[in-house]
Amino acid sequence: MTKTLRFLLGDQLTRSISALDGIDPAQDVVLMAEVDAETRHIRHHKQKIAFILAAMRHFAQELRAEGLVVDYVRLDAAENRGDFTSELARAVARHKPDRIVVTEPGEWRVREMMLGWSAMLGLPVEIRDDDRFFCSRADFSRWAGRRETLRMEFFYRDMRRRTGLLMEGDAPVGGKWNFDPENRKPLPAKFRAPQRPRFAPDDTTREILKLTATRYAEHFGDLEPFGWAVTRADARIALDDFIANCLPYFGDFQDAMKSGEPFLYHAVLSPYLNVGLLTPREICVAAERAYLSGAAPINAVEGFIRQILGWREYVRGIYWLRMPEYAETNALDATRPLPWFFWSGETSMNCLGQVIDETRRHAYAHHIQRLMVVGNFALLAGVAPREIEEWYLVVYADAFEWVELPNVHGMAIFADGGALASKPYAASGAYINRMSDYCRNCRHDVAAKAGPTACPFNYLYWNFFIENRSRLPRTPRLAMPLRTFDAMSDERREEIRRDAAAFFASPEMDPRPGRGYAESQKRLPL
Ligand code: FAD
Ligand code: DLZ
Ligand code: SF4
């Protein structure tokens, strides 16, 4: 009989995961390991570390309750050698398996590690597909192989046809593939978002919170209050709550932003999805059911399903198709160091201050905050890809490289030159003002285009065109701003350059700890 060691990683907490397929409870051992290398290779947000470790411990308890043998290595175990490969080698010495089975990981770096395990350990290592996704890596490669440009919208339509989600025969439900033109309304004036479920930490989670507080004290972010679900049962409660109370309004207010309201009608399910407590299929099916029962309108349900069946699968496909070269491209030659205010939150720009503060408190920001506030600023300021990518990977509880990298490198900062998005998502302050209440309480004047009081997004937007005109793609979607830019006088361009240069030279853009905007304000004469 073959004894198999099945190694599960911290984002593989799904009972139906391929690494557990065909498990023999009498013979096989499941290995799970909390390792310093994963918690420290970048300085993850404290809540992200606590969420993953607490979810790992609860998942191990559930497997044991089912009768499986789980060898669980705790972070503070004296003999823990601190990385996946060393812990696997120690487990092989303990259990003497005939073979090892794993599910492919979510990061190129870890896949490279896995590919070396068989030779190093002298054992067969089977790396199975991660079939929690709708589209396998091989299927995505086949889809991509037939095309010159890879656009999400066409991939998404294929996925609708393949899964039958929101389909009536061969036609999309409601007669259209995409209901976005009906979405994206500003919030009503007296708006209060619904309360979201929060989950009180049990003893296991409290132990993890203590461990995280002492071991990762210097990492970014608040650890408490900690309200994430760390079990599948609680994540299901969060899903049911979203479907009942938020999904009906998801489409309408998808792009809105409001001070003090970090979640609005968003799902806040991505951490659960990405570590495997929920599957994309069950979420999409639940959303489709809400439409079929009349509980949510088509614009909301289609918009929501598109995020998961379309965007989430598409960015994963791009990641595995293009790595490792993908991470190295820098199409706009962006080299500016990350300003320190990304960590301190101390900035004169209220929009960025609000989003960074919410990120610090919740390890969460919604899509438009990530794309059109933080990402837009990084794009316009020309922040170096590696620096801004690491920031995103650190600060969000849902950040794993397969999903973070394409979203930042491709969608937000256009460092891939358009492999993922047809144009850079550059916008001036007018966009932020239209979609949020941030500008009302800002030191800068969103209506002013030039000079010391002007909103920095306004002159940085046109400075972006000055610096990148020749590198921008030919697309009708850029036709309007390019016409305006091309008609601009030399004097106006010079004014924009001057404002941008003064801003880039200001203390606010200083990358050094303890410098930056707040310090410069303290030094002002009284
Ligand atoms: P909702 O807005 O309610 O959307 C529902 C679900 O759709 C999400 O849970 C998520 O699973 C999926 N989804 C939506 N948009 C995307 C997208 N562009 N790519 C992949 N999945 C998507 N998402 C991550 O899961 N991890 C990341 O590290 C991450 N980094 C991002 C960085 C940038 C610069 C941008 C612009 C987007 C990033 N996203 C990332 C996508 C998106 O912002 C988050 O998935 C979303 O904000 C999660 O919150 P939610 O569950 O409330 O999502
Ligand atoms: C992100 C993370 C962290 C912080 N800690 C662990 C850990 O201690 N043990 C573990 O198995 N996984 C952890 N993870 C998730 C891994 O980094 C993730 O599985 C890989 O990056 C592959 O996606
Ligand atoms: Fe942001 Fe400009 Fe609005 Fe201030 S005025 S909140 S910097 S967009």
Side-chain angles (χ1 to χ4, degrees), residues 9-11 33-35 38-39 44 52-53 56 84 106-107 109:
L9 309 185
D11 52 356
E34 298 171 359
V35 291
E38 294 305 307
T39 54
H44 300 283
I52 292 170
L53 299 187
M56 283 177 70
F84 284 151
E107 201 175 322
R109 170 186 65 91

Side-chain angles (χ1 to χ4, degrees), residues 288-308:
E288 184 185 45
R289 221 176 271 144
Y291 167 69
L292 294 173
S293 70
I298 186 66
N299 68 308
V301 175
E302 185 284 313
F304 179 71
I305 286 183
R306 178 161 18 95
Q307 306 311 313
I308 295 178

Side-chain angles (χ1 to χ4, degrees), residues 1 62 108 156 166 294 341 361 405 420 467 485 494 500:
M1 281 208 281
E62 287 169 16
W108 181 269
Y156 166 60
L166 293 181
F341 75 74
R361 287 194 290 131
L405 188 73
L420 188 136
E467 290 186 353
F485 177 72
E494 195 40 45

Side-chain angles (χ1 to χ4, degrees), residues 12-88:
Q12 299 183 337
L13 311 180
T14 315
R15 180 58 187 91
S16 59
I17 195 151
S18 55
L20 297 180
D21 271 0
I23 190 165
D24 177 355
Q27 288 273 341
D28 296 352
V29 175
V30 177
L31 172 67
M32 296 177 73
E34 298 171 359
V35 291
D36 247 345
E38 294 305 307
T39 54
R40 288 197 203 273
H41 86 277
I42 52 165
R43 288 149 69 115
H44 300 283
H45 194 300
K46 295 188 197 80
Q47 268 183 60
K48 179 181 182 186
I49 295 178
F51 164 67
I52 292 170
L53 299 187
M56 283 177 70
R57 288 195 186 183
H58 283 90
F59 189 69
Q61 286 164 11
E62 287 169 16
L63 294 182
R64 283 189 182 131
E66 194 194 309
L68 300 180
V69 178
V70 182
D71 183 353
Y72 192 96
V73 184
R74 292 162 63 116
L75 199 58
D76 47 3
E79 60 283 10
N80 187 334
R81 286 173 49 199
D83 64 87
F84 284 151
T85 303
S86 309
E87 282 312 298
L88 180 63

Side-chain angles (χ1 to χ4, degrees), residues 326-329 385 389 404-411 413-416:
Y326 192 72
E328 304 302 324
T329 56
E389 283 151 21
E404 169 273 328
L405 188 73
N407 269 300
V408 181
H409 195 82
M411 197 185 310
I413 60 169
F414 209 70
D416 65 1

Side-chain angles (χ1 to χ4, degrees), residues 349-351 429 432 438-439 442 444 446 455-457:
M349 294 170 280
N350 189 40
C351 50
I432 295 174
Y438 297 148
C439 302
C442 186
H444 301 281
V446 72
C455 164
F457 283 85

